[in-house]
């Protein structure tokens, strides 16, 4: 069960080595000497280029040729901590307003331009920064720079636009505060950072937005949105010298400003306190939170290592899970620039005694504070933190974020500067920090208890109602944008992996990528739990997957974790399995993974603990609104007796035995249903030999299981409300089945039409439900494909009194799609967005792997991306109209609502 307990502020992300690190030094620290002596930095790892313009704008350009893509991030060194007293949401409000037009590019022009270069942009506000990012084809970098230069000093910030945007941002507050975890984090910040600007959540509040006006936003903008208070980060497939010249041309003439004094933040010592909140989640949480150093603090590296050690699978906290005392544990260190916090969390079943688990967690922390942490765990954490920097180049987005955090939060020159900081951490430093920080007299305790009637009423407010109307005619772009986007072309051909089939039926794909000294393996076994679990054995698949953590026949749980720690690698087994490692030790990581995947230990004591936990956890999950909402959707789409309606219950779990797990494993885990893709610093020949060596002896047992659901009849109209007293805002889905599965002859026409209807800010649904009417903060649509089934859905979040109107508007848009062909302008924008966005779907190892594994799961050819591009390129309005008339049935939509009854 993934934990929903994540702070919005990101720690320095785990990833790969930035372009300025000396790779040989890093590999010497992490890899065996024999490998380190021969390791060389690939040519693609060029040096980053830095410059500071005369107006003070700091520019950092980091080449990464993984895909023909560039990402820009404009970082303003002002966040919620810089807001005027009494207006904690000012930075967040201004973030929204920056999308409402500037002198050269109005709001609708910006939305249109964004769509035509792939529609991949957004922004986020933290306590210390406000960051705007665009990702686009590399040849469109000039457009991105023009956009950012225009709104750096030319934002319009009119009162009319603010009244329009205020309603949307207040809907966002409602949405976020519908989460019990979010409400807890708000209370946590109030306590840990009381009396400082960090005590206010960066989201802001409805009362603060109600008294905000455009004049206040203008003052904040003029004070902080200056070139000498900004960092422009450019990462991707660019030529640094030419890029810097473009930056100088766009930003060089902007004048520097006078930046106000920054707040100096020193939180006072926290007095022990307990926060108790009701929750609509299926499980409960106990947390112990401590003040921690900030990202720019000299103790940051030691604090990060302390958090890593506390969360280690070899540590005493995680041991509570195999001991049966906790369902799950986690440690989350969230540093702001000048102060931070760490949350130690443990999960308990609904109805269990949270006090017992809390005492167990406190006992672990007291033992660590008194006696320190094992030195070998400190060294393992250091190796992993340093190795994690190497993986950033495997993703253009991750590389951008790593640099952004280093520059704006850690206040260092590059992520490479953190390597020396981590290397300097000693067990003594970590233990000294633990003795100081893990003091129960200064800890904040949180208890989130599952209940049937959580009450967030105190968080509620009145959303604004005034919205402006979007244009009813095609938008005309300025000449500098129109000229560059005049021609739509097919994207570059997708990289094609080498393909092999082993004698045992295992399919292997290999895609060499030399942007870093890393290699990753991704594996997926085709399966369908509801078809493969014998009747009465519902839940056996989940138990089987959970037992892989307990090791293999030659490596128990601790030995498995220790062997991976020794080489700073990651590996996980199951239906979806994988490994990632630095190049010199990748073969070792694959050997460990294969041992775990093919020879799981399935220890009896671990099975007994895991089964008992699953039985205890299940009633709370089944009673939770999220689970009941999913079940309501399944019942609305599928006929009685459909396999998807089978349900794991406490009774079905209780009857399971270890022999049932072993039988399920041998039947369902098989090479002839498995696809592996290896991506990274390797060759097809080496990867094929390695996979043959480690997975070649794997044999399928028994008949091949059925893993494709049978076709289903069309659904009929229905309405379901799943009450959730913890939500301020309704979550609404409108759904219908589509016949034919992924082989549907009109699949591409439906996808192109969906791009126009519900994908991105400029879509019909977003314009109608948010911009024109204000019925919803977000709205969209999608088509989900499998081999034998497909589903079309519309989703939106709305205040309860607006649900009916929002639904009517959404249905009207569906009917409009069937009433007449889409306009040439809409089709052009959709083609531009989809075709120019395709390279961005290949801008990380993870995305590349997911694409090819999806093709394998769906039975599609490896050149599916190129086929799709060709189909989109030649799409016509008449083809879209015919497909939507034939397959979309507005009268048969099933409506599912989670939240207050909309009436």
């Amino acid at each position: 069960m993934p934990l929903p307990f994540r702070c919005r502020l990101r720690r320095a992300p785990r990833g790969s080595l930035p372009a300025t690190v000396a790779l040989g030094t890093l590999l010497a620290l992490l890899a065996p000497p024999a490998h380190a002596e021969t390791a060389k930095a690939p040519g693609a790892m060029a040096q980053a280029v830095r410059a500071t313009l005369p107006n003070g704008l700091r520019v950092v350009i980091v080449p990464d040729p993984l895909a023909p893509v560039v990402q820009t991030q404009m970082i303003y060194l002002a966040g919620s901590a810089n807001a005027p007293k009494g207006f904690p949401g000012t930075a967040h409000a201004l973030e929204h307003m920056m999308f409402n037009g500037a002198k050269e590019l109005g709001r609708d022009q910006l939305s249109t331009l964004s769509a035509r270069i792939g529609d991949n942009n957004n922004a986020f506000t933290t306590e210390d920064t406000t960051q705007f990012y665009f990702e686009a084809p590399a040849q469109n970098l000039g457009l991105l720079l023009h956009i950012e230069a225009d709104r750096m000093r030319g934002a319009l910030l009119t009162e009319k636009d603010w009244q329009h945007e205020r309603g949307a941002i207040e809907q966002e507050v409602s949405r976020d505060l519908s989460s019990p975890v979010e409400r807890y984090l708000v209370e946590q910040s109030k306590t840990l950072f009381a009396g400082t600007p960090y005590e206010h959540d960066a989201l802001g509040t409805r009362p603060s937005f109600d008294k905000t006006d455009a004049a206040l936003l203008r003052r904040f903008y003029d004070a902080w949105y200056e070139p000498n208070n900004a960092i422009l980060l450019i990462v991707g497939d660019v030529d640094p010298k030419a890029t810097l010249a473009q930056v100088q041309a766009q930003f060089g003439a902007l004048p520097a400003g006078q930046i106000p004094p920054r707040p100096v933040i020193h939180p006072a010592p926290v007095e022990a306190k307990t926060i108790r909140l009701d929750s609509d989640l299926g499980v409960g949480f106990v947390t112990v939170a401590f003040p921690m150093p900030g990202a720019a603090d000299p103790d940051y590296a030691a604090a990060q290592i302390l958090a890593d050690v506390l969360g280690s699978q070899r540590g005493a906290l995680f041991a509570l899970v195999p001991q049966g005392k906790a369902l799950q544990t986690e440690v989350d260190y969230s540093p702001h620039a000048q102060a931070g916090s760490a949350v130690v969390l443990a999960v308990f079943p609904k109805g269990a005694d949270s006090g017992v688990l809390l005492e167990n967690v406190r006992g672990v922390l007291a033992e660590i504070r008194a006696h320190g942490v094992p030195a070998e765990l400190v060294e393992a954490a250091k190796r992993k933190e340093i190795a994690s920097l190497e993986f950033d180049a495997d993703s253009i987005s991750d590389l951008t974020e790593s640099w952004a955090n280093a520059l704006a939060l850690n206040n260092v020159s590059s992520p490479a500067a953190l390597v020396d900081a981590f290397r300097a951490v000693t067990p003594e430093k970590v233990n000294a920090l633990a003795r100081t920080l893990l003091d129960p007299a200064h800890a904040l305790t949180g208890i989130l208890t599952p209940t049937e009637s959580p009450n967030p009423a105190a968080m509620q407010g009145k959303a604004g109602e005034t919205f402006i109307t979007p244009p009813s005619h095609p938008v005309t772009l300025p000449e500098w944008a129109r000229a560059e986007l005049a021609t739509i072309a097919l994207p570059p051909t997708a990289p094609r992996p080498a393909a092999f089939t082993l004698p045992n039926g295992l399919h292997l794909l290999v895609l060499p990528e030399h942007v870093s000294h890393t290699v990753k393996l991704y594996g997926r076994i085709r399966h369908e739990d509801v078809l493969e679990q014998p009747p009465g054995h519902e839940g056996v698949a989940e138990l089987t997957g959970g037992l892989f953590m307990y090791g293999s026949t030659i490596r128990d749980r601790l030995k498995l974790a220790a062997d991976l720690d020794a080489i700073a690698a990651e590996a996980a087994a199951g239906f979806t399995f994988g490994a990632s490692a630095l190049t010199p030790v990748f073969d070792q990581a694959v050997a460990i993974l294969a041992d775990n995947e093919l020879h799981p230990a399935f220890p009896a004591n671990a099975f007994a603990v895991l089964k008992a936990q699953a039985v205890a956890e299940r009633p709370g999950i089944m009673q939770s609104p999220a689970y009941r909402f999913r079940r309501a959707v399944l019942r609305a789409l599928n006929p009685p007796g459909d396999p998807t309606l089978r349900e794991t219950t406490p009774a079905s779990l209780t009857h399971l035995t270890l022999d049932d797990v072993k039988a399920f494993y041998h039947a369902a885990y098989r090479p002839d249903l498995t696809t592996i893709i290896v991506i990274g610093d390797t060759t097809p020949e080496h990867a094929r030999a390695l996979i043959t060596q480690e997975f070649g002896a794997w044999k399928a047992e028994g008949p091949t299981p059925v893993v494709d659901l049978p076709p289903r009849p069309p659904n009929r109209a229905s309405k379901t409300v799943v009450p959730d007293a913890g939500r301020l805002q309704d979550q609404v889905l409108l759904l219908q089945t589509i016949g034919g599965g992924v082989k549907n002859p009109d699949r591409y026409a439906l996808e192109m039409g969906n791009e126009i209807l519900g994908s991105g800010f400029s879509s019909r649904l977003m314009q109608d439900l948010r911009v024109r009417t204000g019925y919803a903060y977000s709205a969209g649509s999608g088509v989900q494909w499998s081999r034998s089934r497909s589903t079309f859905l519309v989703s939106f979040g709305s205040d309860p009194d607006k649900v009916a109107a929002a639904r009517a508007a959404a249905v009207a848009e569906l009917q409009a799609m069937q009433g007449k062909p889409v306009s040439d302008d809409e089709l052009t924008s959709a083609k531009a967005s989809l075709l120019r966005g395709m390279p961005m779907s290949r801008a990380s190892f993870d995305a590349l792997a997911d694409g090819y594994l999806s093709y394998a799961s769906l039975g599609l050819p490896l050149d599916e991306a190129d086929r799709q591009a060709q189909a989109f390129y030649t799409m016509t309005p008449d083809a879209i109209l015919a497909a939507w008339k034939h397959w979309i049935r507005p009268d048969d939509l099933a409506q599912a609502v989670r939240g207050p009854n909309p009436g």
Side-chain angles (χ1 to χ4, degrees), residues 313 544-561 573 592-593 595-603 606:
Q313 289 203 0
T544 303
L547 283 169
F548 282 102
M549 180 187 73
Y550 292 90
S552 70
T553 53
I554 64 173
R555 291 180 174 90
D556 64 13
R557 178 181 72 84
L558 293 175
K559 174 66 171 170
L560 174 64
I592 295 170
L593 170 66
D595 176 48
N596 191 201
E597 183 78 15
L598 306 187
H599 309 289
F602 293 152

Side-chain angles (χ1 to χ4, degrees), residues 523-576:
R524 187 177 297 173
I525 302 172
R526 287 190 61 215
H527 66 100
E528 182 55 70
D529 292 352
V530 296
L531 296 177
E532 294 180 87
Q533 296 176 133
H537 288 199
E538 290 82 4
V540 68
E542 179 183 350
L543 288 183
T544 303
L547 283 169
F548 282 102
M549 180 187 73
Y550 292 90
S552 70
T553 53
I554 64 173
R555 291 180 174 90
D556 64 13
R557 178 181 72 84
L558 293 175
K559 174 66 171 170
L560 174 64
D563 284 355
L564 290 169
D565 281 351
I567 58 174
E570 301 284 349
F575 274 133
T576 299

Side-chain angles (χ1 to χ4, degrees), residues 11-18 21-23 25-31 45 304-305 308 378-394 398-399 402 415-416 418-420 422-423 516-520 564-570 580-586:
R11 51 163 256 171
R14 309 182 69 102
S16 74
L17 187 69
V21 176
L23 291 171
T25 302
L26 175 60
L27 291 168
L29 175 67
L30 296 169
M45 280 293 189
Q304 183 63 69
I305 297 302
D308 291 346
V378 172
E379 295 307 313
K382 290 168 57 178
R383 284 194 297 270
K384 284 200 169 184
E385 283 294 339
I386 296 171
S388 73
L389 296 172
E390 174 71 24
F391 287 90
D392 276 345
D394 301 348
D398 286 353
L399 185 58
S402 181
L418 298 175
V419 172
D420 288 339
F422 285 127
R423 293 183 69 178
S516 67
H517 278 302
T518 67
V519 194
K520 293 183 176 180
L564 290 169
D565 281 351
I567 58 174
E570 301 284 349
S580 59
L582 299 173
T583 305
V585 295
F586 180 68

Side-chain angles (χ1 to χ4, degrees), residues 77 151 358 409 437 452 496 510 512 539 574 576 584 617 715 750 780 883:
L77 301 178
R151 62 184 180 179
L358 180 59
L409 293 181
L437 298 178
E452 300 302 321
R496 195 68 47 78
V510 184
T576 299
E617 178 184 20
N715 72 290
L750 288 170

Side-chain angles (χ1 to χ4, degrees), residues 96-102 105-113 156 160-161 164-165 468-471 475 761 767 771:
H96 277 242
M97 289 292 286
M98 293 289 279
F99 290 90
N100 276 271
L105 205 65
R107 182 186 71 244
D108 302 308
Q109 291 175 312
L110 176 59
S111 176
T112 300
L113 177 56
L156 299 179
K160 182 178 180 181
D161 284 345
H164 149 255
E165 197 60 41
I468 61 176
T469 303
V475 173
F761 188 83
Q767 288 291 310
V771 177

Side-chain angles (χ1 to χ4, degrees), residues 63-86:
D64 188 332
L66 176 60
V69 167
V70 65
Q71 184 170 127
T72 62
Q73 191 166 130
M74 180 61 76
I75 307 168
Y76 291 98
L77 301 178
S80 63
N82 306 89
K85 187 176 179 60

